[in-house]
């Protein structure tokens, strides 16, 4: 029987990078427009909107080119992100239980050492970054992770925090659990049809295995008070 696999999105699931992302966007806009742009000047939905769309809405010319040239610098100089509480312990518990774990993220591979402590990277069996596969909502990254792990869709759970993550999981044929503490929030996930919404990062751990049975993923809701 194939090994049980749990895959994770990075930002908003394992990593609290909201402040980092917003500060980087504000910094790029400030440099491009020649006037001070603060995080408070960004649209409310900035954290879940494509970066180039946010910059374009602020009046930044050629935002795609600017992001390609400046994003790494902006992220490296913004306030650093941190792991959500309990994430490291949860990953250790999954490893001890013999579960294969992996990352499917839109971050580049070169950024991972800036963003994640070595202890976390060492616990992950596979990392699929933006340069490795078509980005979500395409299922390519999830399927590539499974190929590298010799896993199967029926014994795999993907944990993400947006409806884009949910769409990727469904297209790949794997189960999906929504991280209610992430960028989209529990209400958006529930309204978008996410059956399983986790309420706390402390739920990352062997409890996730309760969502997987020998026939595949169960369709159950978690923590109804989080919706």
């Amino acid at each position: 029987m194939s090994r049980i696999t749990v895959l994770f999105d990075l930002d908003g699931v394992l990593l609290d990078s909201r402040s980092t992302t917003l500060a980087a966007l504000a910094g790029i806009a400030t440099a491009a427009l020649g006037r001070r742009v603060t995080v408070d000047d960004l649209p409310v939905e900035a954290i879940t909107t494509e970066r180039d769309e946010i910059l374009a809405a602020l009046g930044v010319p050629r935002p795609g080119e600017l992001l390609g040239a400046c994003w790494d610098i902006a992220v490296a100089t913004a306030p650093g992100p941190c792991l959500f509480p309990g994430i490291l312990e949860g990953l250790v518990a999954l490893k001890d239980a013999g579960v294969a774990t992996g990352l499917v993220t839109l971050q580049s591979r070169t950024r991972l050492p800036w963003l994640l402590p070595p202890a976390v990277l060492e616990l992950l069996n596979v990392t699929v970054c933006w340069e490795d596969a078509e980005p979500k909502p395409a299922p390519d990254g999830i399927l590539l992770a499974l190929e590298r792990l010799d896993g199967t869709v029926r014994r795999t759970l993907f944990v993400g925090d947006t409806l884009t993550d949910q769409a990727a999981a469904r297209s790949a044929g794997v189960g999906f659990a929504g991280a209610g503490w992430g960028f989209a929030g529990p209400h958006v996930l529930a309204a978008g049809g996410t059956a399983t919404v986790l309420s706390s990062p402390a739920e990352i751990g062997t409890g996730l295995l309760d969502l997987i049975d020998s026939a595949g993923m169960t369709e159950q809701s978690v923590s109804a008070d989080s919706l």
Side-chain angles (χ1 to χ4, degrees):
M1 181 178 292
S2 63
R3 194 175 181 186
I4 292 176
T5 301
V6 180
L7 302 173
F8 300 95
D9 179 38
L10 177 58
D11 294 284
V13 177
L14 304 184
L15 195 68
D16 186 357
S17 55
R18 180 185 296 269
S19 295
T20 303
T21 300
L22 295 178
L25 279 169
I28 289 176
T30 294
L33 297 172
R35 60 177 174 82
R36 178 67 170 162
V37 177
T38 70
V39 169
D40 290 338
D41 296 321
L42 301 177
V44 174
E45 67 278 8
I47 197 66
T48 55
T49 303
E50 294 293 334
R51 299 166 193 154
D52 57 345
E53 294 180 19
I54 295 298
L55 294 178
L58 292 170
V60 173
R62 301 188 301 280
E65 294 178 24
L66 194 60
L67 283 166
C70 300
W71 185 252
D72 280 356
I73 296 171
V75 169
T77 55
C82 60
L83 290 178
F84 284 107
I87 291 297
L88 180 59
E89 295 81 359
L91 291 175
V92 168
L94 287 169
K95 182 179 179 64
D96 290 345
V99 177
T101 60
L103 197 65
V104 181
T105 176
L106 296 182
Q107 293 285 3
S108 71
R109 190 167 300 281
T110 57
R111 275 186 222 124
L112 292 187
W114 309 349
L115 300 173
L116 288 171
V120 171
L121 290 172
E122 291 169 3
L123 288 169
L124 299 169
N125 299 98
V126 67
T127 55
V128 175
C129 300
W130 76 265
E131 58 264 53
D132 298 324
E134 185 73 17
K136 296 169 287 187
D140 302 44
I142 294 173
L143 295 176
L144 178 59
L146 289 181
E147 179 183 336
R148 292 177 174 176
L149 292 171
D150 196 25
T152 63
V153 297
R154 294 183 65 82
R155 291 175 62 79
T156 297
L157 176 70
F158 181 56
V159 183
D161 67 319
T162 67
L163 296 180
T164 298
D165 292 327
Q166 176 185 261
R170 286 181 174 175
S171 294
V174 305
F176 180 71
W181 58 90
F183 289 169
H187 299 292
V188 170
L189 289 168
T194 302
T196 301
V197 178
L198 308 174
S199 62
S200 165
E203 293 181 70
I204 299 298
T206 53
L208 296 176
L209 305 186
D210 294 337
L211 305 176
I212 305 174
D213 61 22
S214 59
M217 299 304 306
T218 60
E219 291 293 327
Q220 59 181 341
S221 296
V222 174
S223 303
D225 59 356
S226 72
L227 301 182

